[in-house]
Amino acid sequence: MWHCSMAGIFLSAALASNLTMAEVPAPEPEHEKVLRVCQDPNNMPFSNQKLMGFENKIAALFAKELGWKIEYTWYPQRMGYVRNTLKKKLPDSDQYECDLVTGVAVGFDLGATTRPYYHSTYSMAYVKGKGFDDIKTPDDLLKLDPARLKTLRLGVFGRSPVVDWMLKNGLADQMVSYQTQTGDPAQYPGEMVEKDLTSGKIDVAFVWGPIGGYFAKKATTVPIAAIPFKSQPNMRMDFSIAMGVRYGEKGFKDRIDQLIAKNQPQITAILREYGVLLVDDQGNLLVSAN
């Protein structure tokens, strides 16, 4: 990943003429002291171009720890994201657009993954004061009067694991399906909660935990509750999130692993600030957004 400039080579040669090999330092060329991150320009609470997301904050923390500058490559996290960021070389250069994707699921197969830095789960969000306040788990939704349950509009992203839960429990007719990749860069997944749930377009939103927890915590127009899912046999709802780097760049990956390990308390504090629903490896809630 890292490339030496000719000036750096000549400098090392000059130093070697006066020092023994054991004394020669190994300075990084100045252009290498840049943390180049790949992020979505409009996907709160993760990131945006105003640097308001928790991935923005964590990347800035890493740059500060390294004593490096930080640069951003903005591209919507949709089809072609990795191809146009992590794997895209600059014209007439061996340098890539960016070097670090700040949020990928463990098991991401388009690059190598670091150690995980948080573990979250899918969630169910509803507006408080509308007859849902006794619901403390997603399964409590199923205990509503059947006549009322059949009237509810349940927002869910297609192909998310929550779809399987809804199909299993006979809620297919109530599903309002959303696309995760619309092709419109102005749209973002959190709109389901921030706009459609608060306006009453849907009655319940099923979203990834960081989204549900964040919008529940920051809601100002109406109070929102975010209820975490627990995984069930053959129905996993919770996942570990890491960072992504290019294959073959072990040194850089190790550096990011060290930053995560060293700064985990600060990282967790940032996640708490954003209301992220954090769970342990058994899916038990660690941090409540409400």
Side-chain angles (χ1 to χ4, degrees):
M1 172 178 182
W2 306 121
H3 306 280
C4 292
S5 67
M6 291 304 296
I9 294 171
F10 292 144
L11 176 60
S12 296
L15 290 170
S17 68
N18 296 305
L19 301 172
T20 67
M21 288 302 293
E23 295 171 321
V24 174
E28 289 180 312
E30 188 63 31
H31 76 274
E32 292 184 355
K33 295 184 178 180
V34 179
L35 183 63
R36 301 179 179 90
V37 297
C38 327
Q39 292 185 332
D40 192 309
N42 181 34
N43 190 19
M44 289 296 287
F46 307 98
S47 63
N48 69 9
Q49 283 185 288
K50 295 181 180 179
L51 308 182
M52 297 169 63
F54 66 76
E55 290 183 14
N56 299 131
K57 305 295 185 186
I58 294 169
L61 171 65
F62 285 4
K64 181 179 180 181
E65 284 285 312
L66 292 166
W68 292 2
K69 296 185 295 183
I70 187 168
E71 293 180 357
Y72 304 90
T73 292
W74 303 109
Y75 197 88
Q77 283 196 346
R78 294 170 175 83
M79 191 70 68
Y81 177 72
V82 173
R83 184 179 68 249
N84 286 283
T85 56
L86 193 66
K87 292 188 174 184
K88 184 178 180 180
K89 284 188 175 181
L90 296 173
D92 304 316
S93 171
D94 285 334
Q95 181 178 306
Y96 289 85
E97 286 277 358
C98 51
D99 305 317
L100 182 68
V101 177
T102 47
V104 297
V106 171
F108 167 78
D109 61 1
L110 297 178
T113 54
T114 65
R115 63 186 293 157
Y117 67 99
Y118 74 94
H119 193 92
S120 190
T121 186
Y122 275 82
S123 65
M124 180 184 78
Y126 59 78
V127 175
K128 296 179 182 179
K130 291 194 172 183
F132 301 118
D133 291 10
D134 290 336
I135 293 176
K136 304 303 180 184
T137 72
D139 285 346
D140 288 342
L141 181 72
L142 308 175
K143 300 174 185 176
L144 292 176
D145 180 83
R148 186 186 179 204
L149 184 59
K150 287 186 176 297
T151 68
L152 299 181
R153 296 155 296 178
L154 310 177
V156 62
F157 287 105
R159 302 178 66 180
S160 79
V162 179
V163 172
D164 293 333
W165 179 85
M166 296 176 77
L167 293 174
K168 175 185 175 182
N169 290 292
L171 300 176
D173 290 343
Q174 282 88 277
M175 286 196 302
V176 178
S177 183
Y178 287 73
Q179 293 179 285
T180 55
Q181 299 183 355
T182 65
D184 183 351
Q187 293 184 331
Y188 55 97
E191 286 183 312
M192 187 200 292
V193 179
E194 187 177 34
K195 297 181 179 180
D196 291 358
L197 181 66
T198 58
S199 69
K201 184 176 179 179
I202 57 175
D203 300 297
V204 182
F206 295 88
V207 291
W208 177 228
I211 297 173
Y214 172 73
F215 287 106
K217 183 167 185 175
K218 74 176 288 289
T220 56
T221 56
V222 294
I224 294 174
I227 307 299
F229 271 89
K230 287 199 70 171
S231 293
Q232 302 174 11
N234 302 315
M235 197 175 296
R236 185 175 179 185
M237 296 290 185
D238 60 293
F239 300 90
S240 291
I241 303 301
M243 297 189 182
V245 303
R246 284 180 291 277
Y247 287 121
E249 297 183 349
K250 184 177 184 302
F252 182 60
K253 176 183 175 297
D254 289 347
R255 190 189 293 268
I256 300 300
D257 278 334
Q258 292 165 8
L259 285 168
I260 293 172
K262 178 183 177 183
N263 294 282
Q264 188 63 64
Q266 295 96 311
I267 291 170
T268 301
I270 291 170
L271 297 169
R272 288 173 185 259
E273 177 186 346
Y274 281 75
V276 174
L277 297 177
L278 299 177
V279 299
D280 63 19
D281 291 341
Q282 287 72 49
N284 300 307
L285 187 67
L286 295 177
V287 179
S288 175
N290 303 310

